[in-house]
Amino acid sequence: MRTSRTLAVSTIAGLLLASFAQVANAEGRYGTEQKVREFTSNSQQSHAISDFAQRMKERYNINIDQSEYQVQADSTGISILPRPDSEIAKKYNSAGQSAAPKKSPAAADPNTFAGPTFNVKPPSLQEINSAKKLKPASTQAEPNWFPTECWSRAYMKFFGLDEDLAWADSCHVLGWLPPTNGRGNYMYRMWSTCSTTPEATGKVTLTECGVQDLITTPNAAWVDWAPRADAQIGTCGTFGYAITIGAITGSWSFPACDTIKIDKHNPDVYFKSWWSGRASGKNRSTEMAISFTVPETVGVSGDPRISTSVEICRPGPLGDPCEDTQ
């Protein structure tokens, strides 16, 4: 992060990933078709959710059930979240948590908005036996995935600016494998795409787009994580990553630019991955995946968050013109 005045405007953080063309097609729906501050009536909120569903389909090939989502507004922007009574919220026991900021647990970044937390039960004996019968742990190609849960955040009113500034679209998914040696086995992925709006051009520039999660289950233990280390990407291209647990390896890729950084804590199962650079009106993305174990008889709880930071542009010989890194 640069040393000039920086604002962390962080927010709530598919299995099929988008091409660059799909990403480009999904750009700019915030701040172009409608103003953030205008999302007040039912029709405007429906329009926002419809745009969100279209972006998820174009970018990640994920089909969103629009009836399961709601718009929540606060003093700095809006969030699009699963409704508390939605099937997706029930699956994760997330209850459509509010986008209002709250202090993160000790291991996590305090400058974030909370995402939909999860608190799931361990798989039942029937589910475990069914998984073993259909996909033995030694040959199983995929975990037993929960549905992919997505959400979105749009920002306004920072540094005295009162207009649409930036947005972030985010998703996560949890998967389990049959337990071994008294430990439950899990994989978790999280990803986000962020951008400033056309209205923010020349006023602010995007400097961070990050995802993070802290597994809050007691006695959780690390197995694997990705990205494995900071990566100097340079010119935008495809970045691949993979994790393993037992005999299973999951691998994915996403459109990455500039620098991808990571932060991993021990012994806490806490991990963060973020894009770092400068971009105005351009989509920037990051992803992460972790595998871990917990005691077989308990479920899994997590505290996912996403960070989206911007800096003010100050043109002139002594200012900062917010030039893109590429």
Side-chain angles (χ1 to χ4, degrees), residues 7 21 38 48 56 61 94 113 163-164 180 188 238 265 270:
L7 170 69
E38 294 173 357
M56 294 299 98
N61 200 26
S94 61
F113 283 92
E163 56 193 291
D164 305 339
T180 53
Y188 176 80
T238 300
H265 288 214
Y270 166 79

Side-chain angles (χ1 to χ4, degrees), residues 119-137:
N119 182 21
V120 303
K121 296 179 180 179
S124 67
L125 182 60
Q126 181 179 1
E127 290 173 319
I128 293 170
N129 289 336
S130 178
K132 288 180 176 178
K133 185 181 301 183
L134 295 175
K135 299 178 180 179

Side-chain angles (χ1 to χ4, degrees), residues 41-56:
S41 70
N42 289 337
S43 63
Q44 290 163 338
Q45 292 183 12
S46 295
H47 182 80
I49 294 171
S50 176
D51 278 353
F52 167 66
Q54 186 174 346
R55 293 195 305 274
M56 294 299 98

Side-chain angles (χ1 to χ4, degrees), residues 25-213:
N25 289 338
E27 288 189 23
R29 297 192 189 280
Y30 283 122
T32 54
E33 297 183 10
Q34 217 170 357
K35 300 292 186 182
V36 172
R37 64 178 60 80
E38 294 173 357
F39 291 134
T40 54
S41 70
N42 289 337
S43 63
Q44 290 163 338
Q45 292 183 12
S46 295
H47 182 80
I49 294 171
S50 176
D51 278 353
F52 167 66
Q54 186 174 346
R55 293 195 305 274
M56 294 299 98
K57 179 63 176 177
E58 291 174 349
R59 188 179 298 126
Y60 304 126
N61 200 26
I62 295 174
N63 292 310
I64 296 295
D65 183 350
Q66 297 182 38
S67 67
E68 292 209 330
Y69 280 77
Q70 63 180 347
V71 173
Q72 292 184 348
D74 56 49
S75 61
T76 59
I78 68 160
S79 298
I80 300 172
L81 293 162
R83 302 176 62 88
D85 59 350
S86 67
E87 289 304 312
I88 189 72
K90 292 176 183 177
K91 291 285 187 182
Y92 283 95
N93 195 25
S94 61
Q97 184 164 324
S98 169
K102 68 175 187 180
K103 190 171 180 60
S104 192
D109 184 342
N111 296 315
T112 59
F113 283 92
T117 58
F118 56 91
N119 182 21
V120 303
K121 296 179 180 179
S124 67
L125 182 60
Q126 181 179 1
E127 290 173 319
I128 293 170
N129 289 336
S130 178
K132 288 180 176 178
K133 185 181 301 183
L134 295 175
K135 299 178 180 179
S138 60
T139 60
Q140 183 172 335
E142 286 277 349
N144 302 279
W145 293 108
F146 282 75
T148 300
E149 183 177 38
C150 300
W151 55 92
S152 186
R153 175 74 179 172
Y155 307 97
M156 56 182 285
K157 291 188 178 178
F158 291 104
F159 286 162
L161 301 175
D162 185 11
E163 56 193 291
D164 305 339
L165 295 178
W167 55 264
D169 289 337
S170 315
C171 300
H172 69 173
V173 64
L174 178 70
W176 62 269
L177 295 162
T180 53
N181 302 317
R183 303 284 294 181
N185 301 296
Y186 291 87
M187 277 188 176
Y188 176 80
R189 287 187 60 228
M190 189 175 181
W191 58 97
S192 184
T193 299
C194 313
S195 182
T196 58
T197 64
E199 286 76 12
T201 301
K203 298 173 183 176
V204 298
T205 187
L206 188 72
T207 57
E208 178 184 330
C209 182
V211 292
Q212 63 180 285
D213 192 21

Side-chain angles (χ1 to χ4, degrees), residues 14-19 22 59-61 189 191 241 252-255 287:
L15 298 178
L16 297 174
L17 295 168
S19 67
Q22 289 172 318
R59 188 179 298 126
Y60 304 126
N61 200 26
R189 287 187 60 228
W191 58 97
Y241 64 102
W252 304 272
S253 63
F254 67 99
E287 301 194 7

